[in-house]
Amino acid sequence: MPRTALLVSTAVLAALLSPTVSQAADDPAPVPVDRFEGEVPFASQPAEGIFTWGSDSDDPPALQLTARPDAPEGEKVLTGTYDISGYGGFTHDFAATAPGHDWSAHKGIRFWWDGQDNGRKIAFEIKDGGANGEASELWTTSFTDDFTGWKQIEIPFADFVYRTDYQPVGGIDHVLGLTSMWGYAVTLPVGVEGRFAMDDVELYGKADQSLRASVTTDAAVHPVKEGGTATVEVTLATTGSAPVDEPVTVAYRTAGGTAEPGKDYVPVSGTLTFPAGTASGATRTVTVHTLKDRSAEPAETIPLELTVTGAKPPAETPQVVVDAHGLPYLNPKLPVRRRVADLLSRMSLQEKAGQMTQAERGAVGEGGDIAAYDLGSLLSGGGSTPTPNTPAAWAKMIDGFQLRAQATRFQIPLIYGVDAVHGHNNLVGATIMPHNIGIGATRDPGLAEQAGAVTASEVRATGIPWDFAPCLCVSRDERWGRSYESFGEDPALVTSMETVVQGLQGAANGKDLKRNDKVLATAKHFVGDGGTEYGSSTTGSYTIDQGVTKVTRQQLEAVHLAPYRTAVDRGVGTVMPSYSSLDILGDGRGPVKMHARADMINGVLKGRMGFGGFVISDWNAIDQLPGDYPAHVRTAVNAGVDMMMVPYGYRDFTAALIAEVKAGRVTERRIDDAVSRILTQKFRLGLFEKPYADTSNAARIGSAAHRAVARRAAAESQVLLKNAGGVLPLRKSQKVYVAGSNADDIGNQSGGWTVTWQGSSGNIVPGTTILQGMRNAGGHVTWSKDASAPTGGYDVGVVVVGETPYAEGVGDVGNGHDLQLSAADKAAVDKVCAAMKCAVLIVSGRPQLIGDRLGGIDALVASWLPGTEGDGVADVLYGKRPFTGQLPVTWPKSEAQLPINVGDASYDPQFPYGWGLTTLTKAPHGGAITLRALAVAAAVAERAGADHAGRALVTRARLIVQEKVGEDMTAAVAKPFADADHLSLTGKYGAAVRRLEVAYRAA
C-alpha cells in the first residue's frame, strides 16, 4: 500500500505541510537518530541500544517495536506502556566504544509523538560530553501531551537547560557543546497509567550562531576591597573552537545593586566588539573602580549588565562586590563569642534561616542560589563528585561555591561537609582506611587517631572543612546494614576508639581547627541507631535500619549514650541525630523519631552533657516526622536541630522556617541559638579569614606515608579466629593456591561508601588487592577465582570470600542480603579445603555464618573491610606482622542467635567478643598459677592507674586462655572470656583477669 494512502489523518497532513517542519533551502538534510525499524537493539552500555529504567522494579516502561500502518516514517514505531509511581523512562545511548556524535551543525532535535491528550508533561533529555552516555551531562526540556494523534515535536537545542536536580557525574563543563553527544532519554509521566508511541527521531535545521557562540565571564562574582578595582573578563567561546561568522557585540553598564554609584563606585558603560573571524577564547575586559568612604559597612553589590548580540549571553549577570569592612565580626583578634554576637545582631531572619540550611551541591547548579537564599552550607552526598574526580577539581568546585557566598551582605562563608567515613572515600585516589569495624578490631586507640589525622589532612586539602564522621553507634545486631560503620558492640570499645575525634579535629578546645590538616568532626547518629529492633523499620524495604530502638533508661545510658559523653568531652564540633526512633520503656511515649526528641537533643545532649557545637540533621530526615511540612520544620528545630540537611528542598525549608518564626511557633531566641552555634564553628575553623581551599597538602593525598598508616590499620584489623596446626603465617617457600571472590577485588575489600554511596565491586580505586599483596610479599602464588584450576601440588590454600559492597538499609539482612557465603564462595572453600591445608579469609562488614564448614577449615581469619591496602593483609599472612586483632563483635553460630552481644545472660557464640589468636613468635605460656599471679599484678596496675601495664597483663592472660581453649569453645568459656575484654576496656584489669581465670577453668 502506498505510504501516502496510509497518512489519512487530517492532523498528520496538516503537520506535514506546516511551515514549522519544512526544510529551508540552506538547511542541512535531516540526520536520523532513531527510525525504530530495528536498526538499534534493546541493549545498554557499552553497546549502542535502547534501555528502560525506573525508581523500582515496577517503574520501567515496557517497550516494543510495533508495526503500524499510520507510522509517520518506515514500517514500525516505538510503543510502550507504563504505570510509574516514582520515576521511569527510557534511553537511547550510542556505543561507548565509539566516539560521540557531532550534532553541532543542526538547530535542534525532533520526533513524532502519538498524542494521548492527557495534559501531562514529558521530559526529554539529551546527553552531552563526558566519557559515554552514562557519564555525560544531562540537558533537559519538556513538551506537553495536549493533543491527539501524531504530531512532530521540534525542540531547538537552545531550549535545553542544564539539569540541576540530578547529574550522574556531577557536571563536566556545564556547556552544551553538541560536538560529543551520546543520545537522549525520555522521562514518562508519573501517577497515571498510560501508553505512548514515538517515531523518527532526527536532527533538523541549521545551527544559528547564537547557539554555536556564547559569551561568558570569568566569574559570576568579583569581590574587591573598598577602593580597589575589579576586572571582569568577557570571553567569546564557540562550539568546536571555530571562529565566528558574524560580529558579536557586548554592551555593558553598571546598574542596580546595593552599592551607590558615585559614592561607592564609578559608573561605567560601553560596548565590546568581537569582529567576524574572531577565534574562540578571545577575551575583553571591563574594569570597575570602587571608592573609599571611610565607614564600616556590609558588602555591597554592583551588577554589570551585559547585552549580547550575535551570541548566547552569560547565564547570569556578573556582580562586582565591595567587601564588607570595618565591622567587629571581621576582626580576627576579637574573641569568637564577640564576633558571633556582633554578626548575629546584624542579620535578618532570612539570613539566619539560610545559615540553618544545608543543600546538596548537585541541587544548586552553578551556585546562584547560595546568595539568593543566604545558604550556610553545602554537602556532597555519597558519589556526589566533580568531574574529573581529582583533588584539584574538588578544590576548584568548592572555591567556586565559596565565591558565591561573597555576594551576600556579610560574606559568611559556607561550611562544606562530606561523608569521609573511612578516608576521603568520595575521592578517587584517596587513602581508604579499613571501615570502623576493622579499626575496632585493632584495639589500638593511637592507630584510630592516626587514621583520623590522615583522613582530615586529605579532606581539608580538597577545600572541605567538615567531615560527617565518626559513627559512634554501638552495633547490637549484625543484621543491620550499617554494622561495619560501628567500632563494635561494646560501648567501652566504641568509647576507646574516639581518639579518632582528635585525629580529625586536633585539640579538644578547638584551637587546631584553623589548621590546614584538620576538619570539624561529627558524632553520629544520636542516639541508639545501633540498637534498632529487627523488623521495626518502616523505610521502604529496610528491615532494621532506621527502625525502633527499645531500651530501658538504664540501657540507654549505659550502652548508647556513653560514647556521646566522651565525644562531647573530646570537643566534637557537630552531632547528627539518627533516622531511627527511640522507645524508652516505661516513659509512656512509645517510639519517637530522634529528630523530634527535644528531651534527648536539648535536654541530654545540649543540657546535661553541655554540648556546645551544633546539631546537623541527617539527609532529608525531617521528612520522616509526622504532620505536614511546617510541622516537620518546627518540630525538628524546636527539638534542637540547628542545621537542616535538606539536599534538594532548601527553598521549601527556608520559606517554612521563616513562616514558622513569624507565626510564633519557633522563637527568635531558638533561631539565634542555632545560628550562634553554627557561626561559632565557622569562626573556629578560620573560614572568615580563609574561605578558599588550602591545597598545600594535596600532594599527601594517597601518599606513601598515608598509605603506610592504612596498611598498618589493615594488618592490625585482621582477627585470627582459628589456626589449627599453625597453618598461618605462610612461608614464602610454600606453593599457595589462592581462590575466592574477594581475593582480587579492591571494590569488595573497600566496601560501601567508596567513591559512591553503595560502593561497588571491581577496580574502582587505586590500591592493592589481597592477592596482589601476597604477590608483593614474595609469595609463590597461583590464582583461580572459582577454584576451577587443578588443586594438586600445593602446600596450602588461601580462600578469600565474603560480601559485596552495600550501605545503610540497602544492606539489611532480609533486604536482599543474608549472613551466608554465596554458593560460589562455598564451593571454592569446599574444593580447596578438601584438597589441601587451607586458610579462609572472610572479607565482610559483619560476621558470616561459617559453622557448618568450620571443621574442614584449618585457619579462619575475619578480614573485615580492610580498604585499599591489601599489602597489610599480606603482612600478617606472611608473618611480617603478627596477628593481634580481636573480635569487635560476637561471631554467632546461627542467625537464630541474633542479636547476641557481650554481657547477654545467654551467650553461646561460635567465637566470643574479644577473641583473637596471635602469631607472635613467643606466645605466652602458663596455667592456673600464672593466671592467679597475673590477676594480682593487674589489680596493682589498676590501683596505680598504670593502664598500659594493666592492658598488657590482661592480654597475656587472654592468650594463655585461648591456647588452652583451642577449638573447644563452650558457653561456659565464651561468657567470662567476653566479659573480660569489656572489663579491660573499662580499666578493671584485675577483674578482667579473674574472669579469664573462670574461662580457663571451664575450658
Side-chain angles (χ1 to χ4, degrees), residues 928-972:
I929 295 174
T930 304
L931 288 172
R932 197 172 305 122
L934 290 172
V936 172
V940 172
E942 181 182 331
R943 287 193 296 272
D947 292 331
H948 180 76
R951 286 192 293 269
L953 291 164
V954 175
T955 297
R956 183 177 176 187
R958 177 177 63 84
L959 294 175
I960 290 171
V961 173
Q962 287 183 160
E963 182 72 19
K964 183 183 181 188
V965 172
E967 298 177 40
D968 300 322
M969 183 62 64
T970 64

Side-chain angles (χ1 to χ4, degrees), residues 18 99 120 127 176 265 286 364 400 407 476 480 486 494 501 522 558 664 725 766 778 802 922 932 953 972 985:
S18 165
R120 297 295 183 120
K127 302 185 169 196
L176 182 57
Y265 69 97
V286 177
V364 299
R476 307 292 283 178
W480 188 33
S486 172
V494 174
V501 173
T522 307
K922 293 183 179 179
R932 197 172 305 122
L953 291 164
L985 285 164

